[in-house]
Every structure is written in structure tokens, then in C-alpha cells.
Amino acid sequence: MMSLIHKFTQDEKYYIIDVNSGSVHLVDELVYDLIDEDSLKSLEELKSRLQNKYSSAEIEEGYSDIKELINEGMLYSMDLYENIAINDNSPSYIKALCLNIVHDCNLRCKYCFADEGEYKGCRKPMPPEIGKRAIDWVIKKSGPRKNIEVDLFGGEPLMVFDTLKEIVDYAREQEVLFNKNIRFTMTTNATLFNDEIMEYVDKNLGNIVLSIDGRKSVNDKVRVKVDGSGSYDKVLPKIKSMVKLRDPEKQYYVRGTFTRNNIDFFEDVIALADEGFKEISVEPVVLPDEHELSIRKEDLPTIFTQYDKLYKEMLKRHKEDNEFKFYHFNIDLNGGPCIYKRISGCGAGHEYVAITPDGDIYPCHQFVGNTDFLLGNIMDKEDINTEIPNTFKNAHIYNKPKCRECWARFYCSGGCQANNFNFNGDIHIPYEIGCEMQKKRIECAIALKAQTME
Ligand code: SF4
Ligand code: SF4
């Protein structure tokens, strides 16, 4: 059955979420006890269940408050989106590209999903010509959309800085000609930054994702150079210089990964915050169970305590006016993104695709190399495969049996299609460990937002 209400406590405070309307209620213990997740029980039933804890008058008062919220559509509200989702026949336009400008890397991170830059194939750069054709292709495929996002991705994109510049400069010319607005993001390991590169990327890229794993001891066990030595001392000063130079109006974030090696990742987030970074993401590694660094079910209780500690620390720093942002605790309680993003997430495979150095098109960077998901090539005359994009478009929360019922569906949007496929062989079946962490993060994010809203 579809979840209507979710109840949880965070730091001894009581929260009720009305799943369909998105209303969040910070309540007292009485109201918390009166509300069940599936339906509001009768007054008589609640009185007999709770008579040892509350007086009849208290229960009646709480009950009438709840009834009022139901009448206002803020509790046990009904789903309004399913019909829209099922009957949606609108055409899909590509709004975002992951441009793998090089399949090669100068690091050898032990958890690298991209085979340390190789992507199951051989190491190679994207010829500038392919990059330019990819820009032409996305401009055409974006139809009436004005805004286009392009992620400059690798391996390590700065290994081919000249190509990167050529593509970005070309895009700047084309966006004027076609009345588009192309925003670039780059994900980099920061090893190759110098003054010229930093100045260029600051000026031309809308967002920079800077990879480092937190504490030096943690980073250097996994983010290693070709000779096996750690990368921390090389990258930290470069990341700091990049952030210092960064125009305050423009985005960046430092991004770490946690694995079984640092299940106490709270310390890594704090290490990054204490280095002065204000935009931080530390995300769980996604690896097959048998990998020595993978997150396993038995790690979940420890992971949850780390998120709880982080919640408390962020609240404390907020009160001290020394706050930082933690990417996975960002949440919008005022309606959030548009309905399509709420029900199908990143849009991989139909609104967002990845392009390889050869011009091959895949649903996202995580599918690269799996030819069952090959959509075509940007240089082909014929149009791309339409069956795969349709499958991805229809893989929204209402077509995923677990997600339909899940209270977190409108915040999580059905999880990562690639993780679902990699763990369960089907993009419709969620990656369970990911779900548990996701739900915990959403609770912390909601509580933090509620406690820090002015
Ligand atoms: S820096 Fe990125 S692409 Fe390179 S090895 Fe590490 S995780 Fe892989
Ligand atoms: S992926 Fe998991 S957490 Fe997300 S909506 Fe589906 S079942 Fe819920």
C-alpha cells in the first residue's frame, strides 16, 4: 500500500511527513502517538490504546487538531501525480550531457567505477571534433529548452585541457547562435591544476566538483597515484587555491567517497569543513558486495549514527554562524523540483545521456561500455534508439513496485537507475542498501531544515 504518512524522531523531536502533499509537521509526543502511518484510527480506538499515557481530554484535543490538518489537505492527503505520470506522452528533450572527454586518469583510486579511467575499453582522449559535434547534437536534441547542462567528465578531464577549452569555447559561440544557455560542470581530481587552468575553469565553468576523501589517512589509502603513493598532499593545496580563487557567485563542492575503510565518515566531513570548505559532499561508495571496500548491510547502524552526529554538528555550527553545506542534506521543503524530477530523478536515458570519446551515446556514465544500453552514436545519420529512452522515461516511481509504496518516493525519486541495474539486473528494482541510507539522510535533512528555518 502507498505510504501516506511517515513518522520519525530526530534528536528527541517528533516529525510527521504527509507524503503526498510534502507537508512536514514538527509535533508533540501526543500527536505523534495519535497518528498511524496508514490511516487515522477512530477516537475510541486511540483512547483505549493510549489511556495509560494521556487523559481523555488531551487525546480529544490532539485528535481535533489532527482532523483540522486533514481538512486542510496537510495530513493523509491523496496522490495527485500518478495520473499525470501515467498519461504523459510529451516528447523528451535532452537537457544534460555527461561528456567523457577522456577515458584515462592519472590516479588509480581503488574504488573507481571507471576502471581508473579505462571504462572497460582502452585509455583514450575524445578528439576535439567529437566534442564539438556533441555540442551540436545536444543543441539540436534540446528542442525548445533554453538551458543545457554539460558535465565535463573523465577519467580526469584536465589531462586534455586543450580539448576541454576547445569544446567550451566552441559551445560559447554556438549558444549565442542558437539562443541557448550552456552551463558546464567539471569533476576533477585536482592534481593538474595550475594558475592558467584554475583561472580558465573559474571563469568558464558553472560548477566544479573537486574530489578528495576527507582525512589524509583515509584519502591516501584509496586515492593513490600510479606509483601507489597517496594523493592528499598534492591535491589539498590545489583544491584550496581553486576554492579561494572561485568567484563567490559560482558553485563548487568538494566531494569525497566513504567506504568500509572509513565507515566513521563523520570525521571526514568535519576534516573538510575544518579545512575551510563550505560546500561538501561525502557519499557512500557503490561496489559489488564481494569488493573489500563495499558497504554492507551490517554497516548500516554505524552509518546511521554518523548521519545523526552530522545532523547535531551542523545544527551546532548553524547556531554559531559557522555553517557548511552537506550535499546530501540539501532538501527543498517548499514543493521542491518539478513533478517530473520528483518522480523520475536525474532523467538518465531520456533527458540526460553520456557520450564517450568515440561519440557513443549511453543512458549515463555508469552504463558506458554496456552495449545492451548503447543508444547510438552522435556521428550516425539515423536517429538514436527510442526503445531504451522510453524504458528509462517510464521507469518512474509509479512503475517501480517498491518505490510506489515508499514514503521517501518524492524526495528520492526512485534511486539511481544504474545502481538498480548493477545490483538487481533491472532498473525498476531499487538497490536496497542505497535505499536505507537514502531514507536516513532524508530524515536528517528534513529535521535540519525544520530546525534551521528562520
Ligand atoms: S580520480 Fe576519478 S577517474 Fe581517476 S581513478 Fe580516481 S575515481 Fe577513477
Ligand atoms: S529507491 Fe528506495 S528509497 Fe528511493 S523511493 Fe525507491 S524504495 Fe524508496
Side-chain angles (χ1 to χ4, degrees), residues 354-383:
I355 295 182
T356 70
D358 294 326
D360 285 341
I361 309 164
Y362 286 94
C364 83
H365 56 284
Q366 302 243 35
F367 285 97
V368 164
N370 183 339
T371 49
D372 289 347
F373 289 92
L374 181 62
L375 299 179
N377 187 289
I378 53 161
M379 305 302 265
D380 285 349
K381 289 254 177 329
E382 66 265 31
D383 212 359

Side-chain angles (χ1 to χ4, degrees), residues 402-403 406 409 412 414-415 430 435 439:
K402 275 208 171 135
C403 303
C406 174
R409 58 187 178 271
C412 159
C435 293
K439 288 191 271 194

Side-chain angles (χ1 to χ4, degrees), residues 396-407:
H396 50 62
I397 52 169
Y398 297 106
N399 285 332
K400 292 178 176 167
K402 275 208 171 135
C403 303
R404 281 183 69 82
E405 294 177 4
C406 174
W407 68 264

Side-chain angles (χ1 to χ4, degrees), residues 62-308:
Y63 198 80
S64 116
D65 290 346
I66 292 168
K67 284 275 199 187
E68 219 167 281
L69 286 171
I70 295 175
N71 289 339
E72 287 167 16
M74 292 163 81
L75 274 179
Y76 299 105
S77 64
M78 298 318 288
D79 181 286
L80 298 174
Y81 298 143
E82 184 164 11
N83 278 341
I84 304 175
I86 304 287
N87 298 319
D88 175 32
N89 294 317
S90 58
S92 279
Y93 297 106
I94 305 283
K95 62 173 187 189
L97 275 194
C98 180
L99 206 52
N100 287 8
I101 61 174
V102 58
H103 278 184
D104 197 0
C105 188
N106 56 345
L107 291 188
R108 296 289 180 268
C109 304
K110 294 185 177 157
Y111 47 58
C112 180
F113 79 94
D115 296 333
E116 297 149 355
E118 271 192 55
Y119 282 95
K120 304 182 187 90
C122 54
R123 297 178 183 274
K124 63 169 94 158
M126 174 179 275
E129 204 45 36
I130 296 273
K132 291 178 189 174
R133 294 296 74 79
I135 297 295
D136 296 341
W137 185 85
V138 72
I139 286 175
K140 191 168 155 219
K141 293 287 178 189
S142 62
R145 281 178 183 275
K146 184 167 169 70
N147 294 325
I148 299 171
E149 299 274 336
V150 178
D151 289 346
L152 299 164
F153 211 70
E156 171 46 46
L158 291 179
M159 287 179 83
V160 291
F161 179 55
D162 286 342
T163 302
L164 181 151
K165 271 202 314 194
E166 234 183 284
I167 295 169
V168 173
D169 293 347
Y170 178 76
R172 291 285 167 255
E173 287 163 15
Q174 299 306 305
E175 67 182 352
V176 176
L177 292 178
F178 291 92
N179 192 26
K180 300 282 178 181
N181 177 22
I182 301 181
R183 182 176 183 268
F184 284 97
T185 294
M186 175 181 67
T187 301
T188 176
N189 63 29
T191 49
L192 299 172
F193 274 144
N194 60 30
D195 290 347
E196 182 207 345
I197 293 178
M198 286 195 279
E199 204 173 301
Y200 182 86
V201 299
D202 180 48
K203 219 163 141 198
N204 290 283
L205 307 187
N207 193 3
I208 312 172
V209 183
L210 303 147
S211 302
I212 185 168
D213 280 354
R215 290 165 290 180
K216 175 176 159 67
S217 57
V218 168
N219 183 88
D220 284 354
K221 259 195 195 149
V222 281
R223 296 190 64 81
V224 294
K225 300 182 207 158
V226 177
D227 66 5
S229 64
S231 59
Y232 186 88
D233 289 338
K234 186 177 171 98
V235 302
L236 182 68
K238 289 177 187 260
I239 292 179
K240 281 187 157 180
S241 304
M242 184 69 250
V243 170
K244 200 166 161 212
L245 178 76
R246 191 76 175 137
D247 181 337
E249 298 295 299
K250 291 186 176 165
Q251 257 185 310
Y252 80 88
Y253 64 92
V254 289
R255 184 193 184 285
T257 298
F258 74 83
T259 72
R260 282 215 112 195
N261 272 353
N262 60 318
I263 215 76
D264 60 341
F265 65 90
F266 164 78
E267 304 297 340
D268 294 291
V269 180
I270 297 308
L272 293 171
D274 289 346
E275 288 294 346
F277 300 123
K278 295 292 180 196
E279 309 274 342
I280 301 170
S281 171
V282 174
E283 302 176 19
V285 77
V286 183
L287 286 169
D289 284 346
E290 59 280 9
H291 195 291
E292 56 167 359
L293 296 175
S294 68
I295 306 287
R296 319 217 179 121
K297 227 178 183 160
E298 63 265 30
D299 300 323
L300 288 174
T302 314
I303 291 173
F304 294 169
T305 34
Q306 301 301 300
Y307 285 130
D308 285 337

Side-chain angles (χ1 to χ4, degrees), residues 303-319:
I303 291 173
F304 294 169
T305 34
Q306 301 301 300
Y307 285 130
D308 285 337
K309 277 171 86 172
L310 193 52
Y311 162 86
K312 277 197 179 171
E313 183 64 23
M314 288 179 71
L315 192 53
K316 178 173 153 266
R317 290 191 186 208
H318 173 81
K319 288 177 185 156

